[in-house]
Amino acid sequence: MAASLYPSLSLHPFRPHLSHRATSFPTKNPTFLLHRCFQLPGGRSLPSRHFSVTPISGDSHRTTSDEPLKVFEILVRVAASALLFLGLGVRVCLAAPTRHPPVPACDEQTLQEELNIQDNDKGNLNNVQKIEDGNMDAAFETWKSKTFALSVPLRIVVLNASIPPSWLKELLQSQGRRLRFSSKYAASLENIFSDLSASCNTGNVGPTSTMAADIVTVGDSWLNFAIKGGIIEPIKGVEDQDWYTGLSDKWKAYLRRNCEGEIDPEGEIWAAPYRWGTMVIAYKKSKFQQYKIDPIEDWADLWRPELAGKISMVDSPREVVGAVLKYMGASYNTKNIDSQVAGGRNAVQRNLALLGKQVRLFDSKQYIKAFGVGDVWVAVGWSSDILPAAKRLSNVAVVVPKSGASLWADLWAVPAASRFKTNQIGGRVRGPSPLIHQWIEFCLQSARALPFKQEIIPGAVPSALENAPAKLPEELTKGKPKLDTNLIVGVPPPDILARCEFLEPLPDALVSDYKWLISSMQQKPVPGSSSTHWIQQYRSNMN
């Protein structure tokens, strides 16, 4: 009964010999096995696809005993058919044509003619290219020769011999035709200050005047007077400039001033440095050796009796009185002489009078000349004056006093042209050129230091104030005269530099002390001295 309920369901109409034996199932829903067979070549096997569905009992699926032999026979026939198919495929491939036909042969004459034509075409193209290149070069040269309205002007007034000539050449090479640059050289810092003051006093500002320049040189000793007199204006937008962030804190503190020119941490930046130096003492070694005089090392040596009448010195009151203060162990920037200097004003006055007897000439313009012609053996002045002269002379030594000296600096400042209402200077009344920051940054780049290190220009770049420069390699100084000095590439040794100082503006209370000191100097200097003339000149300047 079970066999009649679950018959064997054969889907092999052409393969009755592969039928499965029916079996009974203990459950109502049987599980089916699907057998897949393939049509063998020669028509002797099953159709292409054959499925048999056979009920499976709970035990196992059984096949007849002759099934392994039949399966083996099927596999043999499949292998034979595959070999036959592969053989036919190889024959077809051998008979098929190649993918690319062979290149037809040509005679040598035809080939040579074609090559000649190609060479001629190539030569013509080269000629055309050369003509086009020549036209482009000519057009470019014509363009460079033109002055465009979009070029940016920059006009400077600079102290003569304070910047290397190579700077201007390098600037023009870097900026090209975008920059319309002009420069004017002034003989002295005093001339620049006088020109600026004259414009403010008269109100007359022309396109070539110093006041109409975008940026000018101002000495640090003139800075407070220039600010107080309103002849320069603060440099705007310095906080965002790379050149300002690169300055040391010492420079920033010194250049930040209020409207009275006094150093003020809450003030504005009124100038940017580009060169600095120090006060030095030069002496003739030949004379010192001849008269068996010890070399000069410090300020105290100026008071030696054997040097009386043999000294020339600048006529700056700050430098003269400052030398006395340093000799007495005090600072150039002493705020209260009575409380900060041993012996007070009276002691300073006595030493100042003695120095007046030692110095034959107080004259910032003639002191170097007197030293050069031999009228004096010692010269006291700024390194910017003395170093070039010492190199021209023989047997001269230059020293920075070991107790320290004053420092000087040349600065870039912006004239206060915007205060004038005039059409004589064009857009300059609205402010300086937008290139002033670029110019300042150019001057402060490390590449600009080489002319100072090679001593082409006396002084040093601002960065050398904090980072002592190393000596130059011998190949860069070979063949150049060597100067007997304690300066290292224009900079004092670190231990001496630490005792040097910039001159700060004098407080009003201290100005009266300076007037008293100068007026009380000995009125009868040694023969040939110009001290009386200097005293009279200084009195007029202090009033």
Side-chain angles (χ1 to χ4, degrees):
M1 180 177 180
S4 62
L5 289 175
Y6 297 98
S8 176
L9 302 179
S10 177
L11 298 180
H12 310 290
F14 303 104
R15 297 290 305 276
H17 59 280
L18 289 179
S19 61
H20 295 275
R21 182 178 297 177
T23 56
S24 60
F25 291 87
T27 61
K28 188 174 182 178
N29 297 318
T31 301
F32 297 95
L33 290 179
L34 301 180
H35 297 276
R36 180 176 299 176
C37 299
F38 299 93
Q39 175 71 39
L40 297 177
R44 296 181 298 170
S45 62
L46 294 172
S48 61
R49 182 166 296 182
H50 164 265
F51 295 91
S52 63
V53 183
T54 306
I56 300 176
S57 65
D59 299 328
S60 63
H61 175 68
R62 296 183 177 89
T63 60
T64 58
S65 60
D66 59 344
E67 281 183 353
L69 294 176
K70 293 181 179 181
V71 172
F72 178 76
E73 180 183 358
I74 293 172
L75 293 176
V76 171
R77 292 178 179 178
V78 170
S81 299
L83 290 174
L84 179 61
F85 177 77
L86 290 174
L88 292 174
V90 171
R91 292 181 61 187
V92 171
C93 292
L94 292 175
T98 58
R99 185 175 183 85
H100 300 287
V103 178
C106 63
D107 59 88
E108 295 182 0
Q109 182 177 359
T110 303
L111 180 60
Q112 185 62 39
E113 291 177 355
E114 292 180 356
L115 292 176
N116 291 338
I117 293 174
Q118 293 178 2
D119 291 340
N120 292 335
D121 292 341
K122 185 176 181 180
N124 293 334
L125 289 175
N126 290 336
N127 292 334
V128 172
Q129 185 66 35
K130 290 180 180 179
I131 294 174
E132 292 180 352
D133 291 343
N135 293 336
M136 291 177 63
D137 292 341
F140 181 64
E141 293 298 328
T142 303
W143 175 80
K144 290 198 299 182
S145 65
K146 295 180 179 179
T147 301
F148 293 91
L150 293 179
S151 59
V152 182
L154 177 64
R155 181 169 175 262
I156 68 172
V157 176
V158 57
L159 175 66
N160 189 35
S162 67
I163 63 173
S166 60
W167 281 16
L168 303 184
K169 181 179 179 181
E170 292 168 359
L171 176 71
L172 293 175
Q173 288 177 344
S174 65
Q175 295 299 315
R177 307 298 299 181
R178 296 179 301 167
L179 174 64
R180 191 166 71 251
F181 182 80
S182 62
S183 60
K184 177 183 176 182
Y185 290 90
S188 67
L189 294 170
E190 184 178 0
N191 288 351
I192 297 176
F193 185 88
S194 298
D195 290 345
L196 294 174
S197 299
S199 296
C200 287
N201 294 334
T202 63
N204 184 16
V205 182
T208 61
S209 64
T210 301
M211 180 61 73
D214 296 297
I215 202 163
V216 300
T217 300
V218 173
D220 68 310
S221 59
W222 297 87
L223 182 60
N224 62 309
F225 298 107
I227 295 173
K228 195 172 184 178
I231 63 176
I232 64 173
E233 61 186 43
I235 302 179
K236 303 297 184 181
V238 296
E239 304 292 345
D240 299 328
Q241 301 299 323
D242 292 339
W243 67 262
Y244 176 75
T245 57
L247 287 178
S248 66
D249 292 338
K250 189 172 184 178
W251 281 114
K252 293 177 182 178
Y254 185 60
L255 298 174
R256 193 172 290 278
R257 310 288 180 98
N258 57 28
C259 293
E260 295 297 318
E262 301 168 343
I263 296 177
D264 186 349
E266 301 299 325
E268 297 182 279
I269 297 296
W270 291 79
Y274 68 89
R275 181 177 76 140
W276 66 278
T278 182
M279 200 74 171
V280 295
I281 301 175
Y283 63 93
K284 293 182 177 293
K285 294 191 296 182
S286 57
K287 293 294 184 180
F288 276 58
Q289 293 169 358
Q290 179 181 353
Y291 292 96
K292 295 180 173 56
I293 302 175
D294 292 334
I296 291 179
E297 295 182 350
D298 209 350
W299 293 109
D301 296 325
L302 298 181
W303 277 260
R304 292 179 187 172
E306 60 268 28
L307 295 180
K310 302 297 184 183
I311 302 172
S312 64
M313 191 173 184
V314 295
D315 58 16
S316 167
R318 290 298 305 274
E319 298 294 356
V320 175
V321 176
V324 175
L325 293 174
K326 293 298 291 184
Y327 166 59
M328 300 178 67
S331 167
Y332 277 93
N333 298 310
T334 298
K335 303 300 182 184
N336 191 314
I337 294 178
D338 283 330
S339 63
Q340 293 179 300
V341 181
R345 294 196 310 169
N346 292 331
V348 174
Q349 185 273 330
R350 287 193 297 270
N351 287 320
L352 182 61
L354 292 174
L355 180 63
K357 294 179 180 181
Q358 295 288 102
V359 176
R360 180 174 182 175
L361 177 68
F362 287 101
D363 193 322
S364 297
K365 296 180 180 179
Q366 300 295 327
Y367 79 105
I368 288 292
K369 183 178 180 180
F371 180 72
V373 299
D375 291 343
V376 295
W377 300 348
V378 179
V380 184
W382 300 290
S383 57
S384 56
D385 293 340
I386 289 182
L387 289 177
K391 292 178 181 179
R392 296 192 299 266
L393 303 173
S394 59
N395 292 319
V396 173
V398 178
V399 297
V400 182
K402 63 182 182 181
S403 61
S406 65
L407 300 176
W408 56 265
D410 288 334
L411 315 171
W412 294 120
V414 178
S418 56
R419 61 182 290 185
F420 296 93
K421 295 181 179 180
T422 177
N423 57 3
Q424 297 296 317
I425 55 177
R428 179 62 184 86
V429 295
R430 294 188 294 272
S433 168
L435 293 180
I436 61 168
H437 290 295
Q438 192 168 345
W439 166 251
I440 296 173
E441 185 169 347
F442 171 83
C443 295
L444 296 180
Q445 291 174 351
S446 58
R448 308 284 87 77
L450 185 59
F452 293 103
K453 293 180 179 179
Q454 293 177 328
E455 299 179 353
I456 298 174
I457 297 292
V461 292
S463 60
L465 185 63
E466 298 291 335
N467 304 312
K471 291 185 177 181
L472 285 178
E474 292 185 1
E475 56 267 20
L476 294 179
T477 59
K478 187 176 181 180
K480 296 182 179 180
K482 292 185 178 180
L483 182 64
D484 185 0
T485 179
N486 62 350
L487 290 167
I488 304 173
V489 198
V491 177
D495 58 328
I496 297 179
L497 181 59
R499 293 188 284 271
C500 295
E501 51 192 323
F502 285 108
L503 298 180
E504 300 175 1
L506 289 176
D508 292 338
L510 195 57
V511 172
S512 60
D513 288 341
Y514 270 69
K515 288 182 178 180
W516 178 81
L517 289 170
I518 297 302
S519 62
S520 63
M521 285 184 68
Q522 177 65 42
Q523 297 296 313
K524 296 180 180 180
V526 295
S529 172
S530 64
S531 298
T532 303
H533 170 72
W534 169 72
I535 293 171
Q536 293 173 349
Q537 184 182 27
Y538 180 56
R539 283 174 179 168
S540 63
N541 291 337
M542 295 291 289
N543 293 328

